[in-house]
Structures are given as structure tokens and as C-alpha cells.
């Protein structure tokens, strides 16, 4: 069973079986990915690779069938299309453009790493497309999907090893 993220405007949702949760998506909505930094949540179904989490915020790893790893203060994710580590985890300090995984806000307290543009990595086709925690008010992401902490933890506990996240323009 897949997690289906769909909707439009302020009406984005994530559906998993009979569960429906409010969601946030990229500021560019759900569409065909055009370029790095376009704010689009990319149409398609993406496998879940692993779950990253902040031990200082959660205490213990989320309950899930997916591999888990703690986020460290020096963790980053390369988003520079011209760099050999594009769309891969890196250690900071890192000279090229990158996401900081250890954030001051709570958005990356739990990060579900999706297999979007990772097999193979295509420069400019999108990086750091995650499922993570939503901001208050479910304001748009930079291209990821986001759920509340409670909903994300519930999803992770229910998901099976073959569960994917699917971005659909409408559902």
C-alpha cells in the first residue's frame, strides 16, 4: 500500500488505506519536476529508502520497518547539481550548496528519505525530496511532502517494506 499525496491549493492530503491526513507540498504544487529549486513536488511514486531522526528531539527512533539513522549536527544534503555528491548526504562544513539536516526549526526532526532521483542521480532533476514534519499552518515546502508529527509517526508505524510515497496531481 502506498502513501498517496494529492489535492490542490490549500487542500493537500496524504491518504494511506483508510487514513487521510492533512499534508503540505512544494510551493509549486505537484507537477513534473522542471529544475533544481523549482519548488515542485515531483509527480510519481518514490520508494522509501530510510528514516533519519533527531535523538535530542525524539529520544528513540520512530517505530518503522525502514532503516533508521540519527541526524548529527554536521549532517547535510548536497543540492548543487554540478557537484559529484548531488542528491546525497554530506558532512558539513561543505563548500557546495546543501541543505542543513540539523535545523533550528522542527521540520527535520523526522526525515523520510525518498528514492527520487537517486538511481541514477541526474544533475538538476531534484534533490532532497523528503517526507518531513509540517510547519504550523501547513505552509508550502521547497518540494517535499510534510505531515504533522503525530501523523508522520502513525504512518511510519503502519507502512510496510514496499510502501512508496506517490505524488499525484489530483486524486
Amino acid at each position: 500500500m502506498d502513501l498517496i499525496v494529492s489535492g490542490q491549493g490549500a487542500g493537500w492530503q496524504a491518504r494511506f488505506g483508510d487514513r487521510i491526513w492533512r499534508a503540505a507540498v512544494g510551493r509549486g504544487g505537484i507537477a513534473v519536476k522542471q529544475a533544481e529549486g523549482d519548488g515542485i513536488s515531483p509527480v510519481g511514486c518514490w520508494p522509501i529508502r530510510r528514516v533519519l531522526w533527531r535523538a535530542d528531539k525524539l529520544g528513540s527512533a520512530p517505530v518503522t520497518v525502514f532503516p533508521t539513522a540519527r541526524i548529527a549536527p554536521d549532517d547535510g544534503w548536497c543540492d548543487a547539481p554540478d557537484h559529484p555528491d548531488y542528491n546525497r548526504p554530506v558532512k558539513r562544513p561543505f563548500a557546495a550548496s546543501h541543505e542543513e539536516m540539523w535545523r533550528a526549526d522542527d521540520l527535520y526532526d523526522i526525515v523520510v528519505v525518498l528514492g527520487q532521483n537517486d538511481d541514477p542521480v541526474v544533475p538538476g532533476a531534484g534533490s532532497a525530496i523528503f517526507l518531513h514534519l509540517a510547519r504550523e499552518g501547513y505552509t508550502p515546502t521547497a518540494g517535499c511532502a510534510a505531515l504533522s508529527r503525530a501523523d508522520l509517526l502513525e504512518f511510519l508505524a503502519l507502512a510496510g517494506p514496499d510502501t512508496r510515497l506517490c505524488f499525484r496531481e489530483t486524486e
Side-chain angles (χ1 to χ4, degrees), residues 116-142:
Q116 190 275 335
N117 191 32
D118 71 346
D119 188 23
V121 173
V122 176
S127 67
I129 304 295
F130 304 132
L131 170 60
H132 60 72
L133 298 180
R135 288 181 183 88
E136 188 173 329
Y138 293 81
T139 58
T141 70

Side-chain angles (χ1 to χ4, degrees), residues 9 12 24-30 33 35-41 135 139-144:
W12 301 106
V25 301
R27 67 184 179 278
I30 297 173
K33 191 88 179 137
E36 179 66 34
D38 61 10
I40 288 174
S41 295
R135 288 181 183 88
T139 58
T141 70
C144 300

Side-chain angles (χ1 to χ4, degrees), residues 1-90:
M1 180 170 30
D2 294 329
L3 178 67
I4 308 297
V5 179
S6 63
Q8 58 185 340
W12 301 106
Q13 67 178 20
R15 184 171 43 81
F16 188 70
D18 62 353
R19 301 278 205 287
I20 298 176
W21 300 296
R22 186 174 178 194
V25 301
R27 67 184 179 278
I30 297 173
V32 174
K33 191 88 179 137
Q34 299 296 316
E36 179 66 34
D38 61 10
I40 288 174
S41 295
V43 167
C45 292
W46 314 110
I48 294 173
R49 301 295 191 210
R50 66 187 178 282
V51 178
L52 308 176
W53 59 284
R54 292 265 309 254
D56 64 317
K57 300 284 187 89
L58 296 180
S60 61
V63 174
T64 185
V65 298
F66 303 108
T68 62
R70 291 180 179 175
I71 298 171
D74 62 346
D75 284 342
W77 199 278
C78 180
D79 60 10
D82 59 346
H83 195 278
D85 288 326
Y86 178 65
N87 199 29
R88 296 194 193 326
V90 296

